[in-house]
């Protein structure tokens, strides 16, 4: 047998330990949930391996977790006959923080100096094994793997070091031995108390599929007199958990609280789900689905390492986690699991992913979630808007990228608008409020509501009483381009094409003198503009740019080139629209009419062009020239 060796925890682990040791987190009890969940995972691995190596793992019928308590030494031990760990595994799994979730936890902790927030984060990330340091000042882990002849003992007092030594041990599995801290005055409960432990197992780990056993004081028989002279308490081994998985229970027998407890434990969430979906389907394919819509996106939702997917079980036995084929991309925020007896346990992941059963279940689930969301929108607007505030972008991405689902999804999209008073409305509601003569569903793009309201393009459209959808997210216009229309009404940017419906039989006529001025302006501006024409969308402003009806919008051109996706070099062609009723136009018209070759007229034209750029937030092509012109004008 080798000697005891000392190791130093890596810096990050040490930080985490310090936090646990000094924690004033009030839900310290979660340590038990974490240790039981580790034990349960270790047992799952045995059960899973036994499918392919039945000779090596013979005891699948006897897999269990045992909690033992020694009051006199304040020792709480959680034992399992699970997969165990080799020396290497102890070093890697316990001695370092491999989990990206824990790393992220530490990053967040660093960025939030306030210690109250740190405490919240413990619950949010459920930092696993290390959470035991909240309640213990000495932790010993003894373990043996089937792949090793000897056992290992790990011990740490949470002081930044741990020791490892070989031990004699013949049985596979792991014991976590916690030397509990002395009970402090402000502790509301003592984890050495069997009834406390019993209650916590029931609360957090009831559904664990393996028995969790503990010795409990024997119940006295009713006819036995309580004052019988007995100085030793008799114990009997009880199974503390019911072991039925929550999803196999009847919906009516499960409370929302129980669903949420399960959800938080299983998916390491810290807030209740906003919606819980529990369905059983029988028929050609049989399955149970238990799905949760989180109330907030996870911290890494927008990062590439985020993995979507549902966990897959067959008759209560875990097959795989995060099976991504079960969820379309736009529903990547959904958490949950599927249990179907139709899957064989030892089928390989690769084969499984391409089975028809999986495809069928996936499309059923997609339909179910969309139906639930539609119902929520109809019956519980407040809840839906809360959901939409968090995941609306995913829904819009769906309209953009999912050809099959987009017709359903567009009904779930909400926008704030020019007349909605900062409230969300759906496209159905928009359509119901359209003016009788209104041809299009109008939208405007901008960074926020204020910048949209400042657009000159909004001036006349407001007068006409047309409502304008506010597109403030990048995905919005992509979505509109992909949807094209809603129930027969085309979606149209307010900075594109004509705004007023063409009155039948009447071509719009422009005064011949005005036309001359506009034509002269076009000649001066040359290829910078596609056209110069009279506007019907301005009131107080003199000019604005409009893009060609059959081209792309300015916003799309900008987004495409910013994201480096404009491979065809698409440009939004500029049409300079001029407000011919504006006093300034009157002035330059006079200038032009007094002298067709007027230098002044040319300068005005260039300045108006630059002005249109500024208002749309486009860069001025030659800022120096612009300032020279402006200065010259001021000097006049
Ligand atoms: P997580 O469970 O999220 O991976 P933990 O900190 O809870 O994070 O545990 C770290 C790792 O230690 C586990 O992934 C597992 O490999 C190992 N481990 C912990 N407890 C046990 C156990 N009882 N049996 C076998 N391995 C364990
Ligand atoms: Mg764990």
């Amino acid at each position: 047998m080798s000697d005891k060796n000392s190791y130093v925890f890596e810096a990050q682990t040490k930080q985490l330990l310090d936090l646990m040791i000094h924690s004033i987190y009030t839900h310290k009890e979660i340590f038990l949930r974490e240790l039981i969940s580790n034990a349960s995972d270790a047992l799952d691995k045995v059960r899973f391996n036994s499918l392919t190596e039945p000779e090596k793992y013979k005891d699948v019928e006897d897999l269990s977790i045992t909690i033992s308590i020694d009051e006199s030494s304040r020792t709480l031990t959680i034992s399992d006959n699970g997969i165990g760990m080799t020396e290497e595994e102890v070093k890697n799994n316990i001695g370092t923080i491999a989990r990206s979730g824990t790393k992220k936890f530490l990053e967040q902790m660093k960025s939030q100096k306030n210690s109250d927030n740190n405490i919240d984060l413990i619950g949010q990330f459920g930092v696993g094994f290390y959470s035991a340091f909240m309640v213990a000042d000495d932790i010993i882990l003894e373990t043996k793997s089937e792949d090793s002849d000897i056992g290992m003992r790990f011990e740490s007092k949470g002081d930044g070091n741990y020791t490892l030594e070989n031990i004699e041990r013949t049985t596979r599995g792991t014991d976590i031995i916690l030397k509990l801290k002395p009970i402090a005055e402000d502790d509301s409960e003592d984890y050495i108390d069997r009834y406390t432990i019993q209650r916590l197992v029931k609360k957090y780990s009831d559904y664990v599929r393996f028995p969790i056993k503990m010795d409990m004081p024997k119940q006295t028989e009713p006819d036995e007199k309580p004052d019988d002279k007995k100085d030793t308490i008799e114990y009997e081994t009880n199974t503390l958990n019911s072991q039925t998985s929550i999803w196999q229970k009847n919906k009516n027998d499960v409370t929302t609280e129980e669903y949420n407890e399960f959800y938080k434990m299983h998916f390491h969430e810290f807030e209740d789900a906003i919606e819980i979906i529990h369905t059983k389907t029988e028929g050609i394919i049989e399955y149970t689905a238990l799905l949760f819509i989180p109330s907030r996106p996870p911290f890494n939702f927008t990062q590439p390492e985020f993995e979507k997917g549902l966990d897959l079980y067959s008759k209560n036995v875990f097959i795989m986690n995060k099976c991504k084929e079960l969820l379309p991309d736009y529903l990547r925020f959904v958490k949950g699991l599927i249990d179907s007896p139709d899957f064989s346990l030892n089928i390989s992941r690769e084969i499984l992913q391409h089975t028809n059963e999986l495809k069928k279940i996936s499309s059923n689930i997609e339909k179910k979630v969309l139906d639930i969301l539609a119902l929520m929108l109809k019956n519980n607007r407040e809840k839906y808007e809360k959901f939409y505030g968090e995941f609306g972008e995913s829904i819009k991405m769906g309209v953009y990228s999912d050809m099959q689902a987009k017709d359903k999804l567009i009904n779930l999209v909400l926008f704030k608008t020019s007349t909605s008073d900062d409230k969300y409305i759906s496209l159905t509601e928009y359509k119901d409020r359209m003016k009788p003569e209104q041809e299009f569903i109008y939208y405007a793009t901008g960074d926020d509501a204020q910048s949209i309201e400042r657009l000159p393009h909004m001036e006349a459209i407001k007068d006409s009483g047309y409502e304008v959808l506010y597109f403030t997210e990048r995905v919005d216009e992509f979505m509109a381009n992909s949807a094209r229309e809603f129930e027969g009404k085309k979606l149209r940017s307010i900075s594109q094409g004509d705004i007023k419906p063409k009155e039948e039989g009447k071509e719009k006529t422009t005064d011949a003198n005005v036309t001359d001025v506009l034509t002269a302006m076009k000649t001066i501006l040359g290829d910078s503009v596609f056209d110069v024409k009279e506007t019907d969308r301005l009131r107080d402003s003199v000019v604005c740019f409009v893009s060609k009806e059959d081209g792309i919008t300015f916003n799309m051109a900008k987004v495409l080139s910013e994201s480096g996706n404009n491979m065809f070099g698409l440009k939004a062609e500029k049409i300079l629209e001029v407000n011919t009723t504006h006093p300034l136009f009157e002035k330059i018209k006079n200038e032009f009419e007094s002298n067709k070759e007027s230098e002044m007229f040319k300068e005005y034209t260039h300045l108006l062009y630059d002005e249109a750029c500024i208002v749309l937030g486009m860069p001025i092509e030659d800022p120096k020239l612009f300032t020279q012109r402006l200065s010259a004008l001021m000097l006049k």
Side-chain angles (χ1 to χ4, degrees):
M1 228 203 288
S2 73
D3 297 333
K4 204 177 200 172
N5 287 316
S6 265
Y7 300 86
V8 181
F9 281 117
E10 56 176 10
Q12 278 192 322
T13 316
K14 196 166 174 309
Q15 246 180 319
L16 188 61
L17 287 173
D18 283 344
L19 183 80
M20 289 300 153
I21 290 160
H22 304 297
S23 167
I24 47 162
Y25 183 55
T26 44
H27 291 90
K28 290 180 183 168
E29 59 186 40
I30 60 150
F31 83 93
L32 190 64
R33 170 190 82 181
E34 297 295 329
L35 296 183
I36 289 177
S37 118
N38 286 349
S40 166
D41 289 349
L43 295 170
D44 262 332
K45 284 177 195 153
V46 170
R47 184 130 92 179
F48 191 71
N49 287 357
S50 74
L51 295 167
T52 45
E53 296 168 284
E55 283 309 306
K56 193 166 166 189
Y57 299 98
K58 287 187 188 136
D59 58 343
V60 274
E61 297 309 320
D62 306 320
L63 299 176
S64 67
I65 299 167
T66 305
I67 301 179
S68 12
I69 285 182
D70 179 21
E71 283 89 352
S72 59
S73 63
R74 286 188 67 76
T75 309
L76 175 69
T77 304
I78 292 120
S79 311
D80 64 69
N81 53 353
I83 198 79
M85 284 177 270
T86 62
E87 177 170 356
E88 254 340 90
E89 286 166 340
V90 174
K91 282 185 192 157
N92 290 336
N93 300 342
I94 305 289
T96 59
I97 303 178
R99 288 193 310 156
S100 62
T102 310
K103 280 217 175 102
K104 192 76 197 175
F105 168 83
L106 285 167
E107 276 161 29
Q108 294 240 343
M109 201 181 74
K110 261 184 246 159
S111 66
Q112 295 182 5
K113 286 279 163 327
N114 183 333
S115 65
D116 285 354
N117 289 341
N118 293 348
I119 284 159
D120 264 1
L121 288 171
I122 296 176
Q124 180 175 359
F125 289 89
V127 280
F129 177 78
Y130 300 99
S131 63
F133 280 105
M134 291 195 290
V135 300
D137 44 24
D138 187 358
I139 299 180
I140 297 166
L141 176 149
E142 292 185 352
T143 187
K144 185 185 164 305
S145 153
E146 207 68 85
D147 298 326
S148 168
D149 297 331
I150 42 159
M152 286 303 299
R153 173 190 280 135
F154 156 104
E155 180 169 8
S156 175
K157 293 187 162 54
D159 52 2
N161 308 301
Y162 63 93
T163 57
L164 279 184
E165 64 188 305
N166 291 334
I167 50 165
E168 257 172 70
R169 180 179 167 123
T170 48
T171 49
R172 189 200 63 223
T174 305
D175 299 329
I176 312 283
I177 304 154
L178 309 178
K179 298 273 172 65
L180 296 180
K181 292 181 184 176
I183 180 115
E185 247 172 55
D186 54 350
D187 281 342
S188 55
E189 37 192 12
D190 191 356
Y191 304 111
I192 207 68
D193 180 57
R194 289 171 197 269
Y195 294 100
T196 302
I197 296 295
Q198 183 183 40
R199 189 176 53 76
L200 293 178
V201 169
K202 207 69 198 148
K203 177 172 175 189
Y204 290 113
S205 316
D206 191 53
Y207 82 99
V208 166
R209 290 176 308 282
F210 305 97
I212 303 170
K213 297 178 189 165
M214 186 168 72
D215 285 347
M216 293 300 287
K218 211 169 171 177
Q219 297 292 319
T220 44
E221 297 293 324
D223 54 341
E224 235 175 307
K225 288 206 188 87
D227 57 359
D228 264 357
K229 280 174 251 116
K230 266 191 210 155
D231 38 8
T232 49
I233 311 167
E234 276 188 56
Y235 290 97
E236 63 187 351
T237 306
N238 283 11
T239 296
L240 306 179
N241 57 331
S242 70
Q243 289 175 66
T244 35
S245 56
I246 195 165
W247 60 90
Q248 300 293 17
K249 288 187 186 168
N250 194 317
K251 211 153 109 173
N252 301 328
D253 299 336
V254 188
T255 63
T256 311
E257 205 192 344
E258 285 168 335
Y259 278 127
N260 274 316
E261 272 312 329
F262 169 80
Y263 164 69
K264 288 189 273 189
M265 161 161 176
H266 200 87
F267 298 104
H268 295 291
E269 290 284 342
F270 75 119
E271 258 182 286
D272 287 354
I274 196 167
E275 186 71 45
I276 300 162
I277 306 168
H278 186 187
T279 62
K280 281 189 179 30
T281 306
E282 274 158 28
I284 307 170
I285 322 177
E286 193 180 325
Y287 68 89
T288 299
L290 179 56
L291 310 173
F292 299 89
I293 299 180
S295 34
R296 253 180 247 257
F299 63 88
N300 60 352
F301 191 54
T302 53
Q303 278 148 34
E305 84 244 19
F306 176 83
E307 286 177 77
K308 64 162 185 171
L310 301 175
D311 295 349
L312 194 59
Y313 290 80
S314 180
K315 292 191 226 153
N316 261 354
V317 180
F318 173 78
I319 301 183
M320 69 161 101
N321 68 357
K322 303 219 167 134
C323 176
K324 59 180 191 299
E325 286 73 16
L326 281 168
L327 283 178
D329 253 346
Y330 70 87
L331 288 181
R332 53 211 287 276
F333 52 83
V334 175
K335 299 247 163 116
L337 58 90
I338 300 296
D339 191 327
S340 169
D342 297 343
F343 293 119
S344 126
L345 284 180
N346 39 7
I347 187 169
S348 87
R349 212 177 160 119
E350 285 65 39
I351 295 175
L352 185 83
Q353 281 157 358
H354 298 107
T355 59
N356 277 329
E357 283 90 345
L358 209 65
K359 286 199 191 97
K360 187 85 184 105
I361 294 178
S362 155
S363 85
N364 284 357
I365 286 171
E366 178 176 5
K367 190 171 167 296
K368 183 80 197 174
V369 174
L370 292 189
D371 288 351
I372 296 278
L373 289 175
L375 271 180
M376 202 199 287
L377 175 59
K378 195 164 148 231
N379 300 330
N380 193 341
R381 182 68 172 232
E382 201 184 322
K383 187 167 159 186
Y384 185 81
E385 290 191 8
K386 185 173 177 296
F387 156 79
Y388 191 79
E390 301 292 346
F391 298 108
E393 201 172 341
S394 298
I395 299 294
K396 288 187 274 194
M397 281 305 290
V399 178
Y400 167 58
S401 60
D402 197 309
M403 283 305 146
Q404 274 163 1
K406 78 174 184 188
D407 289 346
K408 265 194 171 179
L409 284 176
I410 193 140
N411 291 297
L412 295 175
V413 170
L414 302 179
F415 286 105
K416 294 185 176 170
T417 78
S418 55
T419 58
S420 74
D421 230 356
D422 205 34
K423 293 203 182 64
Y424 279 126
I425 67 153
S426 68
L427 289 176
T428 311
E429 286 155 353
Y430 182 101
K431 211 178 148 227
D432 289 348
R433 311 204 303 217
M434 278 172 80
K435 298 275 170 217
E437 79 286 358
Q438 190 180 338
E439 210 180 332
F440 300 109
I441 295 176
Y442 289 107
Y443 67 80
T445 52
D447 289 341
D448 49 34
Q450 287 83 345
S451 50
I452 292 175
E453 272 148 28
R454 282 196 297 261
L455 287 174
H457 308 76
M458 292 291 285
E459 291 170 2
I461 204 160
K462 267 194 199 145
D463 288 355
S464 62
Y466 296 168
E467 188 168 11
V468 180
L469 303 173
Y470 284 0
F471 280 12
T472 52
E473 282 178 33
R474 236 161 197 248
V475 57
D476 290 341
E477 200 168 24
F478 283 92
M479 186 215 70
N481 285 346
S482 156
R484 287 174 178 277
E485 55 169 49
F486 177 74
E487 295 179 356
K489 294 284 179 188
K490 285 209 171 68
L491 287 141
R492 165 70 72 89
S493 162
I494 59 158
S495 67
Q496 190 168 36
D498 289 326
I499 224 68
K500 289 255 172 72
K502 289 187 190 74
E503 282 175 57
E504 261 179 66
K506 256 214 289 189
E507 257 315 295
K508 217 178 120 193
T509 48
T510 303
D511 176 351
N513 297 336
V514 171
T515 310
D516 285 349
V517 181
L518 298 179
T519 314
M521 286 172 83
K522 164 79 183 97
T523 314
I524 293 164
L525 294 173
D527 286 342
S528 329
V529 293
F530 176 77
D531 199 4
V532 177
K533 53 185 214 186
E534 195 175 15
T535 192
D536 51 17
R537 71 184 90 216
L538 298 179
R539 289 289 178 273
D540 305 328
S541 307
V542 210
V543 285
C544 73
F545 283 134
V546 170
S547 61
K548 254 172 72 183
E549 189 166 345
D550 53 2
I552 63 169
T553 63
F554 300 123
N555 179 58
M556 281 298 273
K558 184 168 153 234
V559 171
L560 286 176
S561 61
E562 275 171 5
S563 59
N565 277 332
N566 197 352
M567 35 192 161
F568 303 112
L570 290 176
K571 254 177 52 187
E573 298 252 39
K574 297 190 198 96
I575 297 167
L576 184 70
E577 286 200 353
V578 184
N579 182 356
T580 53
T581 61
H582 198 282
L584 196 59
F585 182 77
E586 205 43 43
K587 185 169 180 198
I588 64 168
K589 182 160 159 270
N590 290 341
E591 181 68 35
F592 175 73
E593 279 163 0
S594 66
N595 172 9
K596 299 249 151 44
E597 296 302 319
S598 161
E599 277 306 314
M600 193 62 171
F601 176 72
K602 280 185 198 153
E603 294 299 281
Y604 280 140
T605 302
H606 285 298
L607 274 170
L608 287 176
Y609 176 92
D610 286 342
E611 198 175 290
C613 288
I614 293 173
V615 173
L616 262 189
M618 290 177 181
I620 292 178
E621 280 147 38
D622 189 340
K624 187 155 181 230
L625 200 56
F626 168 75
T627 38
Q628 281 170 353
R629 281 179 180 134
L630 197 62
S631 308
L633 202 68
M634 286 158 93
L635 277 173
K636 287 246 150 67

